[in-house]
Amino acid sequence: MKSSPQDIQKSVYRIIDNSNAIVLYLDTKGLISICNKKLEEITGKDKGQMTGNHWLDILYRDSNRMINQQMFKAVMDASINYKRPNVFEGSIKDSNHNEHFISWNITPIIDDSHELEGILLLGNDVTLLKERGASLKNIDETLKNIFSSIKEYALYAINLDGNITYYGMGSESLFGWQKNEIIFKQVSLLHSYDDAAYKFPFILEQVRSLGHYELETYLIKKNGLSFPVILSVSQFLDAKGKIIGYIFIAKDITERKKLEYQIFQAEKLAAIDQLAAGMAHEINNPLFVISGRLEMILGQKRLSEKLKEDLNIINTQTDRIRKLVDRFLKFNRKTTPKLETLNINEVIDTVLPLLAYHKLPVVKIDIEKYFTPDLGLIKGDLNQLQEVFLNLLINAYQAMSIDGKITIKTSNFMDKFAEIRISDTGCGIAKENLKNIFTPFFSTKEDGTGLGLSICYNIIKSHNGSIDIESEAGKGTTFIIRLPFIYSPSQKSFRAVDYTDFLVEL
Amino acid sequence: MSCKVLVVDDEAQLRDLFSDLLKKENFTVKCASSGEEALDIIGKEDFEVVLLDIRMSGISGLEALKKIKELKPNMIVILITGFGYDEDLITKSKEYGCAGYIGKNMPISRILSSFKLFIKTAKEKAK
């Protein structure tokens, strides 16, 4: 059936009117000559009200959208002037002030004599799409933030050739490599070469057969340091389920390892403690019998010189064992100080010459003394206190690599304690080590036994005193010891130290 | 110094050693191999001093000390131990009325002199 031109025109109008796109036909001056229902929906005006009005007045009713409006106008003008189609994306507001994001198609309509007849505007409302896109962008942003806040996890993937194809989520902070430095490089940069060469075949085999594998291993930072991780490896599958690589999730367990180590140390310590006490006790009994009998024999008058000599050797060696066991016990349990009245300034003066007998680093050290004269007296065990000060001075020496200064200050603390401050200008102690500094077997020195400071601590405690440390890495360390006065400089009456009234001989 | 001493130790050789050492110093010595036996002997016989090992099978030295002091409040009891300085043990033994606390890790001569010193001090205190 052949349609009449009228029918065609009607049909075209119907199509235009029912189109889901905004259809807007303007004359050469920009006045609306045709528009459709979709535009009615958005503007809230009927076609009759809009026809003959300038497009700008219909689409942009508020003046605060000037930039958008001006840009749109410029695009339109270009289309009109150069008779060229154009696209423009911009937002307009509907009668309820809701924003609609419209993607415009601008087509100049040219008549048979190549003159501009009008402009056809087709506008697609893409608000929903934009919103979705924006929220996707938001999710992306959120995920990115989440991932970058996760410090102890790293997520990365490799292809079947072992090249890193994905390097995200915490990887940069964990490894220290930037994404652009490492992407598409060999994964052996992150794993040790040995791991990549020897462990990978096994691991990947497991992943292929089980789909997943988890292990504890070490990874390598950009600076070459290795760190412990729990590594979880999974297959990287494409949409068809074909394996295209492997996904790695590494969890940094450095802190946990440290904690485990400390617990292990504490347990070891407790075990050693128990063993030492038990051993010392068990050895003491037979040793006591041996040395007792020996002493009785040596007391006899009719012994040949040779026998006497041999017995004396046995006696000396037995005594060595006794002293050794004694040291165990001393470490294990605090020994009671053999108390005498002491002036702490004099005690320190007796210690300084002893330094000469110790193998000290060859460094140029100045020792400065600031002693408070007429300091009150304390009750203490001379040998034990000497051991404390000697230990602290040796530590101070060892803390200084080239040259430095040791300052020894004594003062009256609150009229109750003699305070001794021993400061050095050495390497100081890192904050994380400070809390462990008096723990037995804790040492920051390579060849340290970790007993020195814990013995100092025990000795000072058994003198009813206190020992504290102030230190800053790189600046130096100060030990502060306080020992109670038996009588302070101001109060000259004797203060009894409570354990002197009970007899203990050890 | 001469007085009657009861040596209590569950190890025969230690008992014998103390016995020999003390006899040489003119003490009169009798031995018991456990806290229980010591209490039994003390119930029948008079002693001035008891030298008591802390760690023994059966009742411990500390328990024996407590019971001896209940039985004979004036008895001088001296504890001897293979352990080092132990705050708890010292506090407890002091509380139970022990006259002194000797470590086996000392040279014999010092053990003997401490032993005598403790007896002397206890006797002076009693006066």
Side-chain angles (χ1 to χ4, degrees):
Chain A
M1 197 179 91
K2 206 181 169 192
S3 303
S4 69
Q6 284 87 352
D7 284 342
I8 292 170
Q9 200 182 8
K10 263 188 194 166
S11 184
V12 168
Y13 271 112
R14 221 175 9 254
I15 292 166
I16 289 171
D17 216 24
N18 289 301
S19 163
N20 194 41
I22 300 168
V23 181
L24 200 55
Y25 187 64
L26 314 173
D27 64 16
T28 50
K29 290 175 186 135
L31 302 177
I32 297 169
S33 52
I34 301 169
C35 58
N36 69 346
K37 268 191 202 160
K38 190 74 189 176
L39 189 67
E40 281 183 328
E41 272 173 35
I42 286 176
T43 58
K45 289 177 180 165
D46 60 40
K47 281 177 252 176
Q49 283 176 287
M50 293 189 284
T51 323
N53 283 304
H54 196 270
W55 67 274
L56 275 172
D57 296 335
I58 296 299
L59 295 180
Y60 292 97
R61 279 167 305 184
D62 43 5
S63 52
N64 58 358
R65 312 187 56 76
M66 280 303 284
I67 296 174
N68 196 346
Q69 181 187 333
Q70 289 306 315
M71 278 167 64
F72 198 176
K73 192 172 175 296
V75 173
M76 282 287 277
D77 287 347
S79 281
I80 292 167
N81 293 338
Y82 301 106
K83 295 172 194 157
R84 237 185 268 146
N86 246 321
V87 288
F88 179 77
E89 278 193 356
S91 58
I92 56 173
K93 276 187 178 175
D94 68 14
S95 52
N96 300 317
H97 297 280
N98 291 321
E99 199 153 359
H100 290 258
F101 205 86
I102 312 290
S103 169
W104 295 103
N105 235 309
I106 307 157
T107 317
I109 305 296
I110 312 295
D111 67 10
D112 294 339
S113 53
H114 304 287
E115 289 298 318
L116 185 73
E117 191 186 279
I119 305 282
L120 176 66
L121 283 175
L122 293 173
N124 269 316
D125 190 340
V126 291
T127 313
L128 281 174
L129 278 175
K130 279 278 167 190
E131 274 171 7
R132 264 186 229 139
S135 58
L136 273 179
K137 214 174 161 188
N138 267 338
I139 289 172
D140 258 6
E141 201 64 28
T142 313
L143 280 178
K144 215 174 146 190
N145 286 339
I146 291 173
F147 285 170
S148 61
S149 328
I150 298 172
K151 294 279 182 255
E152 67 271 33
Y153 282 93
L155 175 68
Y156 54 100
I158 59 171
N159 62 16
L160 294 175
D161 296 328
N163 297 319
I164 299 164
T165 49
Y166 178 79
Y167 183 77
M169 191 180 108
S171 298
E172 292 192 345
S173 64
L174 202 64
F175 290 108
W177 291 98
Q178 294 302 301
K179 190 176 176 177
N180 56 7
E181 297 176 295
I182 194 107
I183 198 92
F184 303 128
K185 298 244 171 80
Q186 270 292 312
V187 74
S188 55
L189 281 171
L190 307 180
H191 297 248
S192 69
Y193 177 78
D194 278 4
D195 254 26
Y198 303 114
K199 277 194 196 160
F200 265 42
F202 167 74
I203 294 168
L204 300 184
E205 181 52 45
Q206 291 289 315
V207 176
R208 278 193 293 272
S209 58
L210 303 169
H212 177 87
Y213 190 70
E214 198 172 279
L215 72 154
E216 244 188 74
T217 186
Y218 285 84
L219 295 179
I220 299 176
K221 285 183 194 284
K222 189 187 179 183
N223 61 14
L225 292 178
S226 66
F227 60 103
V229 291
I230 290 177
L231 189 66
S232 168
V233 192
S234 312
Q235 294 177 18
F236 194 172
L237 303 173
D238 67 6
K240 287 173 194 154
K242 202 182 121 212
I243 183 163
I244 53 168
Y246 300 93
I247 301 166
F248 295 80
I249 299 174
K251 183 182 191 297
D252 185 353
I253 52 169
T254 309
E255 285 307 311
R256 203 187 78 188
K257 283 272 165 190
K258 264 189 211 158
L259 201 68
E260 275 176 8
Y261 182 71
Q262 276 171 9
I263 292 168
F264 167 74
Q265 281 284 52
E267 280 171 353
K268 189 174 78 178
L269 194 67
I272 291 171
D273 220 39
Q274 223 174 355
L275 189 73
M279 281 268 292
H281 186 259
E282 290 308 319
I283 293 170
N284 262 336
N285 274 354
L287 195 64
F288 182 62
V289 176
I290 294 168
S291 52
R293 289 293 165 193
L294 205 59
E295 215 156 298
M296 287 180 78
I297 298 168
L298 278 166
Q300 286 175 14
K301 278 162 192 154
R302 279 174 300 160
L303 291 176
S304 74
E305 279 308 307
K306 175 72 184 124
L307 188 59
K308 233 185 202 171
E309 204 178 293
D310 288 349
L311 287 173
N312 270 324
I313 291 170
I314 297 174
N315 202 16
T316 316
Q317 296 304 319
T318 318
D319 208 45
R320 245 179 91 182
I321 302 175
R322 193 185 56 74
K323 278 180 182 154
L324 202 69
V325 174
D326 204 33
R327 242 196 114 70
F328 263 116
L329 280 174
K330 245 186 202 160
F331 166 67
N332 195 256
R333 303 257 175 259
K334 296 137 272 174
T335 52
T336 308
K338 284 188 280 293
L339 300 172
E340 48 186 313
T341 305
L342 299 168
N343 176 324
I344 209 72
N345 292 346
E346 287 168 13
V347 175
I348 294 167
D349 275 334
T350 63
V351 173
L352 293 173
L354 297 176
L355 277 172
Y357 296 100
H358 284 79
K359 218 178 126 193
L360 292 170
V362 191
V363 283
K364 193 185 160 292
I365 306 289
D366 294 323
I367 296 185
E368 285 179 11
K369 293 190 296 182
Y370 300 96
F371 284 178
T372 301
D374 302 324
L375 201 58
L377 297 176
I378 61 142
K379 241 189 186 326
D381 183 310
L382 180 63
N383 288 331
Q384 288 191 353
L385 290 179
Q386 280 177 333
E387 192 178 345
V388 171
F389 295 127
L390 195 61
N391 243 312
L392 296 182
L393 287 169
I394 291 170
N395 268 336
Y397 258 88
Q398 288 169 341
M400 291 182 280
S401 51
I402 310 160
D403 53 7
K405 192 170 77 181
I406 296 175
T407 313
I408 309 170
K409 252 185 219 171
T410 61
S411 58
N412 173 345
F413 183 76
M414 295 178 75
D415 219 27
K416 282 187 178 145
F417 296 91
E419 185 182 272
I420 306 102
R421 283 176 171 262
I422 298 180
S423 312
D424 65 60
T425 55
C427 58
I429 297 155
K431 223 178 197 170
E432 67 265 25
N433 291 334
L434 270 182
K435 57 183 182 297
N436 282 325
I437 208 74
F438 296 114
T439 312
F441 302 111
F442 178 83
S443 182
T444 54
K445 289 175 240 164
E446 238 172 54
D447 54 348
T449 59
L451 282 179
L453 286 178
S454 78
I455 285 173
C456 290
Y457 179 84
N458 285 345
I459 290 175
I460 296 298
K461 259 188 100 182
S462 70
H463 279 76
N464 294 335
S466 69
I467 178 164
D468 280 304
I469 182 168
E470 284 171 3
S471 186
E472 206 176 316
K475 287 199 171 164
T477 305
T478 301
F479 281 96
I480 304 136
I481 295 161
R482 290 184 189 131
L483 292 165
F485 288 131
I486 38 170
Y487 48 89
S488 63
S490 64
Q491 159 221 2
K492 296 271 177 183
S493 66
F494 196 88
R495 191 188 300 155
V497 178
D498 74 328
Y499 44 81
T500 47
D501 63 335
F502 183 59
L503 296 158
V504 177
E505 277 282 0
L506 287 164
Chain B
M1 189 183 289
S2 70
C3 55
K4 209 172 161 191
V5 181
L6 179 65
V7 173
V8 189
D9 201 311
D10 60 346
E11 258 189 66
Q13 298 217 333
L14 274 165
R15 270 195 319 264
D16 294 346
L17 175 65
F18 277 123
S19 172
D20 289 351
L21 285 169
L22 293 177
K23 274 177 190 163
K24 232 179 113 204
E25 301 285 322
N26 295 323
F27 287 94
T28 310
V29 184
K30 192 160 185 170
C31 293
S33 60
S34 69
E36 289 90 340
E37 196 191 341
L39 282 164
D40 194 40
I41 295 173
I42 291 165
K44 292 173 194 160
E45 221 176 300
D46 274 336
F47 292 90
E48 277 177 278
V49 183
V50 178
L51 181 63
L52 195 56
D53 189 21
I54 287 187
R55 195 161 81 165
M56 288 187 293
S57 48
I59 64 167
S60 74
L62 217 54
E63 269 175 87
L65 161 70
K66 201 177 161 193
K67 285 188 173 150
I68 291 167
K69 290 302 265 190
E70 280 167 12
L71 205 64
K72 301 267 169 89
N74 294 327
M75 183 79 78
I76 300 169
V77 184
I78 294 164
L79 287 175
I80 183 148
T81 178
F83 295 112
Y85 180 78
D86 189 316
E87 199 79 49
D88 273 4
L89 270 180
I90 291 174
T91 316
K92 276 236 174 71
S93 50
K94 190 177 165 185
E95 194 183 299
Y96 294 160
C98 161
Y101 186 94
I102 297 172
K104 283 177 192 167
N105 50 333
M106 290 194 305
I108 302 289
S109 52
R110 258 189 68 205
I111 292 181
L112 278 175
S113 60
S114 302
F115 182 72
K116 286 185 213 162
L117 175 72
F118 290 170
I119 296 171
K120 202 178 139 207
T121 316
K123 278 184 175 170
E124 275 167 13
K125 262 191 190 167
K127 280 177 197 169

